[in-house]
Amino acid sequence: MDTNINSFLNWSQDQLAQAGIFSPRLDSEIILSHTLKLSRVDLRIHSKRVLNESEKKLGKINIKRRQMREPVSQIIGHQEFWSLDFIVDKNVLTPRPETEILIETALNCISPGTSKILDLGTGSGIIPVVMAKEVSDCQFSGLEIDPKTLSIAKENAVRHGVADRIKFICADMRKEDWSGIYSMIVSNPPYIPSTDIHKLMPEVHNYEPIKALDGGLKGLDFYRDIIPMARDRLEDNGYLILEIHHSQASQVITLLDNLSCYKNVEVVQDYSGYDRVIKAQKGSPNG
Ligand code: GLN
């Protein structure tokens, strides 16, 4: 019997449900629309359209990948963030909605004096790309240790027309090999405690780059390195803005306070009420 769009979707929904996938119908539709290069609305309109042999084969391969818990974003090769479409692959952490809070906080700190903004561990490049689209008169830098990851970030900058305003630097954010003086330094560093990595969903711990997630024993290793280094690379009153795990606010605040060179330390919550971002300004805490 012929397989049409509707019968393929029913079959794939069953397969994914049996594999314990949380949203089997939605994932089936996204994967089939990617496979057939049709929108999800088109799948509905043309539900009786028959799949040819190669479409069926490719569709099944893609559903099998999802059954094995590969994230949808890696199967289809892109992910929406800030209402923009970003290229992703296994070399980058798929953009998470919580990082929108980091960007909103950073955008709120921009003033006429803000000129240079650095993102440490830029990954897919979402932070400088979104910020460059939102503010036209700042220069951005995105630093990333992995050249394969950096090439995805560059592709995203080109895709969104901001490549001329972002300097991408291949370097280790934990070493003293980044230079310059910045008005703002932002980062979504790896912050999951090493011992918790195996507790993450299989989609994450089997497919996403662990080095973008693993923040050492307590998840704080990167903050320990970034916070003192940023002090020497921020202008006076410049901002350091960090995404955190919701359990880490007090420890990260202690790291900032211990240096006695950051002021106006604030915690920003996400829309679920969890601590998500810490912002601080370079300057003496005592005025
Ligand atoms: N928010 C990510 C997660 O929970 C972690 C991101 C990070 O370590 N920077 O999967």
Side-chain angles (χ1 to χ4, degrees):
M1 208 177 74
D2 282 342
T3 301
N4 64 31
I5 288 179
N6 194 37
S7 60
F8 186 92
L9 284 175
N10 289 339
W11 169 82
S12 56
Q13 179 176 356
D14 277 354
Q15 298 295 304
L16 297 187
Q18 279 167 31
I21 302 290
F22 177 70
S23 47
R25 183 71 187 189
L26 177 65
D27 290 11
S28 297
E29 288 183 13
I30 295 172
I31 290 169
L32 188 61
S33 73
H34 164 75
T35 308
L36 300 180
K37 299 188 174 57
L38 292 174
S39 69
R40 280 175 59 215
V41 173
D42 282 337
L43 295 184
R44 300 246 161 93
I45 298 172
H46 305 291
S47 64
K48 300 270 179 318
R49 166 163 148 357
V50 172
L51 272 63
N52 65 34
E53 281 311 309
S54 70
E55 289 169 341
K56 243 187 331 194
K57 198 168 154 203
L58 186 58
K60 282 185 178 168
I61 291 171
N62 287 338
I63 291 299
K64 180 88 193 155
R65 288 171 67 181
R66 186 69 191 109
Q67 271 179 301
M68 303 296 286
R69 295 294 186 126
E70 188 170 344
V72 174
S73 59
Q74 289 187 15
I75 298 169
I76 66 173
H78 55 106
Q79 170 73 34
E80 188 182 301
F81 178 85
W82 203 272
S83 302
L84 298 170
D85 193 53
F86 286 91
I87 301 162
V88 300
D89 71 5
K90 61 179 179 1
N91 297 301
V92 303
L93 195 68
T94 292
R96 315 289 209 248
E98 50 265 34
T99 302
E100 296 197 350
I101 307 293
L102 176 71
I103 295 178
E104 277 171 18
T105 308
L107 290 173
N108 286 336
C109 292
I110 288 182
S111 66
T114 310
S115 58
K116 288 176 75 186
I117 299 176
L118 170 68
D119 176 30
L120 294 175
T122 203
S124 58
I126 51 167
I127 296 173
V129 169
V130 167
M131 290 187 72
K133 285 191 77 77
E134 296 287 334
V135 285
S136 54
D137 48 2
C138 292
Q139 282 299 323
F140 294 87
S141 302
L143 187 136
E144 168 59 47
I145 191 169
D146 186 325
K148 287 201 215 100
T149 308
L150 204 58
S151 72
I152 299 286
K154 285 181 189 162
E155 270 187 71
N156 280 320
V158 170
R159 184 183 189 127
H160 292 294
V162 289
D164 56 333
R165 297 192 25 237
I166 307 175
K167 188 169 142 204
F168 287 106
I169 307 159
C170 195
D172 183 351
M173 67 166 123
R174 301 176 70 183
K175 298 218 175 95
E176 300 277 332
D177 56 3
W178 43 284
S179 58
I181 295 291
Y182 299 91
S183 323
M184 185 183 285
I185 296 178
V186 298
S187 184
N188 171 21
Y191 56 63
I192 308 289
S194 305
T195 45
D196 288 352
I197 296 284
H198 73 281
K199 297 185 199 152
L200 300 171
M201 297 186 306
E203 278 85 348
V204 181
H205 80 76
N206 288 341
Y207 289 95
E208 297 217 64
I210 297 300
K211 66 179 181 341
L213 295 161
D214 189 342
L217 192 59
K218 298 216 159 91
L220 296 168
D221 285 7
F222 285 79
Y223 304 106
R224 283 203 184 92
D225 291 335
I226 292 171
I227 289 172
M229 283 200 281
R231 168 191 55 192
D232 301 331
R233 290 166 176 82
L234 277 171
E235 292 165 359
D236 281 342
N237 299 313
Y239 286 95
L240 175 61
I241 303 177
L242 302 167
E243 184 173 319
I244 55 161
H245 185 264
H246 63 79
S247 64
Q248 291 167 336
S250 62
Q251 292 104 307
V252 175
I253 290 173
T254 304
L255 292 173
L256 289 159
D257 287 349
N258 284 348
L259 282 182
S260 300
C261 66
Y262 287 105
K263 62 183 180 182
N264 302 331
V265 178
E266 272 177 48
V267 182
V268 182
Q269 268 122 25
D270 62 21
Y271 295 116
S272 312
Y274 288 112
D275 293 343
R276 184 54 65 193
V277 168
I278 299 230
K279 91 174 182 195
Q281 256 182 306
K282 179 171 163 176
S284 162
N286 307 314

